[in-house]
Structure formats: structure tokens, C-alpha cells
Amino acid sequence: MSILKHKTMQGPMYQNRNHYLIFNWIFIAGLLLLAFNDHYLKQHFTSWLTGKVSDFAGLLIFPMFLLFLFPRLSKWSVIITGLFFIFWKTPFSADFIECYNKIALIPITRTVDYSDYIALSVLPLSWYLIQRIDRYRVSNFQPVFLRFLAIVPIALVFMATEPPISFYMQPGGDIHIGKSYKMKMSKEAALAKLRAKGYRIEIDTSQRFSNRADYYLINNLVLDGGKDTLQSLQFGFLGSGDKPLLLINNIKLRPADKEKNLKLLKKSYQQLIKSDIVEEVK
């Protein structure tokens, strides 16, 4: 009996069991759902549900990917995933994200929402499936040549969990600036500083993204020491916490300026807005 068990453990399926952690129908379906939800459903059907779908899907399949990369982790793949998710959803991860984004080709963001912790409840199911992963394998082939090819696209899906910054800056007005800047102060502090400078700021509800980006308007914005005036500037803040991104989105020109070269005006106003507005709150 022991000899038979030994031979069975040396068979092809046992040798490739680690491969099946990502070459199984549950992992593939979860990965596709994660990508589709993050890059389509969240953008077109923003809601509480689409926010939670990614958390549940990601926590279900990420331990499989982690165990695929580090086969000796065993049940620690689930525990590490849970602990990292808890850290990720707290303000303490902001400095880590900021440092990472300075060197990353694909910037990452996240929303601090403690209700997301409900998704941790899927981790026991993940471990249950890992222990029985051979039942859900794609086929009985040996995908050795795909092993390393699959790592990069899978990692990209896990990393790119939020729409690009440009998604939160829809073109409008007469000139679309579409620039974002890292801030060293909170949204509340930035608004207070701009109001102290005499800018009249009002909430703009024409662009809202389920509390991810909040937009404001400054009407009759005087720039360059009174030498130039805009009808309005639309700007916003992306992300929560002490250091959100400042979004400079659209401007509306005075009627007399609309006949001028808009490309030249865009470059000029971009510089003026950066010096008069952005530098005040960065």
C-alpha cells in the first residue's frame, strides 16, 4: 500500500500540482471576473457591489497565486493574504503606495473602506479549494512552458485594480488640462488654504465617482497677478487620506478669449495654474 502511494505521488499530476493552482477553472474565472470588474463594471456601473466584487474575487484566488509562487507556504498563503489585505485597507499603507508609485511602471491606488473587510470571509473557502485544487484543473496536461509566461499577466491583473487616473478626468469646458499632482496636505487643508487666498470655491456635481474623486469650481479665476482671468476652473481631489492627488481638469474661457489659439492658451494656462494654484497646495 505504501509503495502504491509512493508511486502515485510521483505521477504527473502530483508533480504538476503546483501548476494547477493557477491552471484551474476557479482561478481563471476569478481572474477574468477581477479584470472585467475593475476595468469595465467599476467604470460604467459604479456601486457598492462592484467595489466588493473585486475584493471577494481577489481574496479567493490570490492565495492560489501566492502558493504557486512559493510552494512551501502552505496555509500561510491564506494567512499572509488576509494580513496584507488588512494592512492595505488602512491609512498606514499610504506611505508604501507613495514609495512604490515613484518607481512603478503601473501606479497603484486603493480606497480606504473598512467595510471591505467583509471579503476576508472568503479566505476559508480559498483554503478549502486549494486543498482540492486538482478537482478543478483545466486538463491533465503539463503546462510547464506556460508557468513563467503566466506570472506577468496575472500579476498585472492583481496590481491594476483601479481605473487609470485619466478615467477620473473627463474632458469638458473649453480646454481640457488633464493634469494630476501629488499633494503633501489633505483635501480639507488645501481647500482652506485656497479660500484663505480669496478664491471662491463651490462644489461641482457634474463629475462624481462614488466618493473616489470630488470636484470643485473656481469661478472668475484671476491669474498672473490680475493680468488674466478665466471664467472657471474645474479641479478635484482623487483618493482619501492625508495626501490625495490634485486633479486639474477643465477650464472655461471668457467669450473674448474663445477665438484665440486654444493650443497656445492651454500651454499658457497650464503654467499659470500650476504656479498660482498647484504650488499653493502641493
Side-chain angles (χ1 to χ4, degrees), residues 54 69 99 120 137-138 153-154 164 221:
S54 291
L69 295 176
C99 292
L120 292 168
R137 64 185 185 273
V138 173
I154 290 172
L221 174 61

Side-chain angles (χ1 to χ4, degrees), residues 1-264:
M1 186 71 176
S2 60
I3 296 176
L4 178 61
K5 182 178 180 181
H6 176 74
K7 289 183 178 180
T8 302
M9 291 178 65
Q10 296 300 319
M13 188 174 74
Y14 182 83
Q15 292 174 352
N16 290 326
R17 187 178 192 279
N18 183 255
H19 299 168
Y20 292 127
L21 287 166
I22 59 173
F23 291 100
N24 66 79
W25 293 115
I26 294 173
F27 185 88
I28 293 172
L31 195 70
L32 292 175
L33 175 60
L34 183 63
F36 182 65
N37 186 68
D38 285 341
H39 301 287
Y40 182 80
L41 295 180
K42 279 185 177 180
Q43 299 183 29
H44 297 87
F45 304 97
T46 303
S47 68
W48 180 89
L49 179 60
T50 55
K52 297 297 180 285
V53 165
S54 291
D55 295 328
F56 275 93
L59 287 175
L60 178 67
I61 64 175
F62 189 76
M64 300 178 189
F65 183 56
L66 194 60
L67 190 56
F68 168 75
L69 295 176
F70 307 101
R72 294 181 180 275
L73 284 179
S74 186
K75 64 182 178 181
W76 280 100
S77 63
V78 175
I79 296 173
I80 291 172
T81 298
L83 292 175
F84 183 78
F85 185 78
I86 293 172
F87 164 74
W88 184 253
K89 290 295 182 175
T90 66
F92 300 110
S93 63
D95 290 336
F96 167 79
I97 294 172
E98 183 178 356
C99 292
Y100 172 83
N101 286 340
K102 289 180 179 179
I103 60 174
L105 296 176
I106 301 178
I108 56 177
T109 61
R110 62 88 178 85
T111 303
V112 176
D113 182 356
Y114 296 119
S115 69
D116 290 343
Y117 288 153
I118 190 176
L120 292 168
S121 62
V122 81
L123 288 176
L125 175 60
S126 179
W127 177 240
Y128 175 86
L129 294 172
I130 286 173
Q131 292 178 301
R132 297 159 177 81
I133 206 65
D134 290 339
R135 299 180 184 179
Y136 310 104
R137 64 185 185 273
V138 173
S139 67
N140 215 8
F141 73 105
Q142 298 186 22
V144 177
F145 69 98
L146 291 177
R147 178 171 182 165
F148 296 103
L149 292 178
I151 291 176
V152 173
I154 290 172
L156 289 177
V157 172
F158 281 120
M159 292 167 59
T161 58
E162 295 287 346
I165 295 174
S166 59
F167 166 73
Y168 298 102
M169 294 188 287
Q170 302 298 320
D174 298 310
I175 297 177
H176 176 58
I177 301 296
K179 290 288 184 178
S180 62
Y181 302 91
K182 294 180 180 179
M183 294 178 55
K184 295 182 179 179
M185 63 178 69
S186 67
K187 177 183 73 173
E188 292 74 17
L191 290 173
K193 192 169 184 179
L194 290 174
R195 289 186 172 114
K197 291 286 185 179
Y199 296 115
R200 299 181 62 183
I201 301 172
E202 60 184 60
I203 296 175
D204 179 17
T205 58
S206 64
Q207 293 201 44
R208 287 191 66 83
F209 299 92
S210 186
N211 296 323
R212 285 287 291 128
D214 297 321
Y215 270 98
Y216 299 84
L217 288 174
I218 300 178
N219 293 311
N220 298 316
L221 174 61
V222 179
L223 298 171
D224 198 18
K227 297 178 181 179
D228 210 334
T229 303
L230 294 176
Q231 182 175 320
S232 67
L233 166 68
Q234 183 192 55
F235 71 101
F237 301 93
L238 175 62
S240 57
D242 295 332
K243 300 176 182 179
L245 285 177
L246 173 64
L247 309 179
I248 302 296
N249 200 24
N250 301 311
I251 60 176
K252 287 186 178 180
L253 303 173
R254 294 178 302 175
D257 294 328
K258 294 182 179 182
E259 302 300 324
K260 298 179 181 180
N261 188 314
L262 295 184
K263 288 185 178 180
L264 293 177

